[in-house]
Amino acid sequence: GYTISPKLKKHSNFGLGGFLFNDLISSDRNLGIGLTGSYHFALDKKELSFLSVGVTAKGIYSHLPGDTLFAIPEKNHMSPNIDAGIYYYNPSFYIGLSASNILGNPAISDSEDLTVVPVSRQYFFHTGYKFVISKPLNIVIEPNLIITNSDTISFDMDYLSGMIEPGLKIYFGKFCVGTY
């Protein structure tokens, strides 16, 4: 579920948010909570260019039930982590860099000791530019690029091509269509 923030009359440079989840798969359970904050620095007097920074502190509690038949003990584990990012934007251009799971992968495997919980560091780079095609018709084309990476890097061409996601948005007044 979600809630909508109240309508505020005054602009604020500070943002605050959070999340809470309960993920139940079979008899495995993950409970998560996070608190996010961001601040937007105006870089000009007209407040058209901004530098934004944000950070998230989060924790996931995992319960993996045991199996008495196979003498597998239950496991309970708390995994704290941090996400952070920086983002510059103005009416025509934006560029951002962020990282998630900065503290890395927790040392916990599933209840049968077969796999490790897949929480690796991830890095994201995002940029784009808006080209005004027609001011009277309010038509704008916005090519963008997203590059993702994790701690495990390979120079295999399939891996490298999977890191790069080009995209395109086309605005027609208040209508937008896009793909990546």
Side-chain angles (χ1 to χ4, degrees), residues 9-156:
K9 303 276 188 212
K10 186 179 175 198
H11 171 74
S12 169
N13 290 352
F14 181 71
L16 185 65
F19 61 87
L20 178 66
F21 68 85
N22 178 17
D23 185 21
L24 185 60
I25 300 173
S26 181
S27 56
D28 294 353
R29 169 171 274 169
N30 292 303
L31 299 168
I33 187 168
L35 181 64
T36 299
S38 65
Y39 193 81
H40 308 278
F41 299 93
L43 300 178
D44 58 5
K45 290 185 180 189
K46 292 183 180 181
E47 293 190 342
L48 295 175
S49 297
F50 288 88
L51 183 66
S52 298
V53 293
V55 67
T56 298
K58 60 187 179 180
I60 299 174
Y61 169 77
S62 300
H63 171 74
L64 305 168
D67 189 331
T68 55
L69 183 63
F70 296 105
I72 298 172
E74 74 176 32
K75 291 185 179 183
N76 295 301
H77 186 73
M78 181 64 184
S79 304
N81 226 315
I82 297 171
D83 302 341
I86 186 166
Y87 186 69
Y88 167 80
Y89 61 101
N90 65 35
S92 302
F93 174 74
Y94 56 91
I95 187 167
L97 182 64
S98 63
S100 65
N101 303 316
I102 293 171
L103 300 180
N105 198 351
I108 182 174
S109 57
D110 67 4
S111 59
E112 296 175 359
D113 284 328
L114 297 175
T115 59
V116 173
V117 176
V119 180
S120 64
R121 279 184 206 95
Q122 294 180 316
Y123 307 98
F124 304 93
F125 171 79
H126 187 202
T127 189
Y129 190 85
K130 293 180 180 176
F131 295 96
V132 177
I133 303 302
S134 170
K135 278 190 177 185
L137 297 174
N138 209 4
I139 298 174
V140 176
I141 293 179
E142 180 186 326
N144 59 71
L145 180 68
I146 301 171
I147 300 174
T148 61
N149 194 14
S150 65
D151 282 343
T152 56
I153 189 164
S154 168
F155 293 101
D156 176 45

